[in-house]
Amino acid sequence: RAVAVGQHMRPDARHGVGLGFGQGFLMGDFATNFENNIGINLNYAYESGTRFGLFVNIHYNTHSSTIDPVASLGVKGLTPNLKVNLVKIERLTLAAYGGLGALLVSETRGTVNAGYTLFTLQGGGMVNVDVSPHFRFGPSLNIMKVSSGTDSTSTPPSTMGGMMWELFFNVMY
């Protein structure tokens, strides 16, 4: 007997890919010399049923310096999260998520470049409005505690770490 592709999945399971645009807010070492800025997220979501799922963020933010016009901070990251749908009312879903991830942080100050691979603990919440079975949108709030790291190849050696939070508007298909 032939089995159709996806027939083995639960009827309420679904995948989604989307984009998020919003404001990235810096705290800790990040905020010492760099401004908050707009960023972008690429999101992937898999819901195994009505309650639990996987939510993956790929982050990209750049931040200009508050004291040096040619200095910049670049943040790229990947964070897989466990997502829990807390409340579902018709087409509106309130969800929370949390996970561990990694960030590649690059700092440029004139001719000096420093690079860090930092680990992050992320938590957050989101509200989704299902417009159709395949299209949804809504805001999300990500809070990331980022480990500290030192780049000993830069002169003088520099340390980076702290917290970031992002307020984003997401569109998923």
Side-chain angles (χ1 to χ4, degrees):
R1 173 176 170 218
V3 177
V5 175
Q7 188 174 358
H8 64 282
M9 292 175 49
R10 293 177 48 133
D12 50 0
R14 66 181 180 171
H15 296 270
V17 176
L19 289 174
F21 298 96
Q23 184 74 29
F25 299 93
L26 303 174
M27 300 171 74
D29 293 336
F30 295 127
T32 303
N33 297 316
F34 298 98
E35 296 178 347
N36 300 327
N37 204 359
I38 293 176
I40 185 170
N41 281 349
L42 178 62
N43 300 315
Y44 169 76
Y46 171 71
E47 294 181 3
S48 60
T50 57
R51 190 67 148 161
F52 296 102
L54 173 70
F55 182 65
V56 179
N57 291 111
I58 298 174
H59 312 273
Y60 180 73
N61 299 344
T62 58
H63 302 271
S64 55
S65 175
T66 57
I67 54 176
D68 184 354
V70 295
S72 65
L73 179 73
V75 180
K76 299 175 216 164
L78 173 66
T79 309
N81 298 281
L82 174 63
K83 178 181 160 198
V84 179
N85 292 331
L86 302 172
V87 177
K88 184 163 180 76
I89 303 170
E90 295 184 21
R91 294 178 179 243
L92 182 73
T93 305
L94 174 63
Y97 53 89
L100 298 171
L103 297 177
L104 297 175
V105 178
S106 60
E107 181 181 13
T108 303
R109 294 177 189 239
T111 59
V112 178
N113 295 320
Y116 315 89
T117 300
L118 305 175
F119 295 99
T120 181
L121 176 63
Q122 177 174 297
M126 65 174 50
V127 176
N128 284 322
V129 177
D130 293 333
V131 177
S132 73
H134 301 290
F135 181 72
R136 60 191 158 190
F137 67 91
S140 67
L141 176 66
N142 299 325
I143 300 169
M144 294 177 277
K145 171 63 177 135
V146 181
S147 66
S148 293
T150 301
D151 183 355
S152 56
T153 62
S154 64
T155 306
S158 59
T159 301
M160 186 63 65
M163 290 185 74
M164 295 176 58
W165 64 280
E166 300 171 323
L167 182 59
F168 274 62
F169 184 80
N170 303 292
V171 177
M172 300 279 294
Y173 179 80

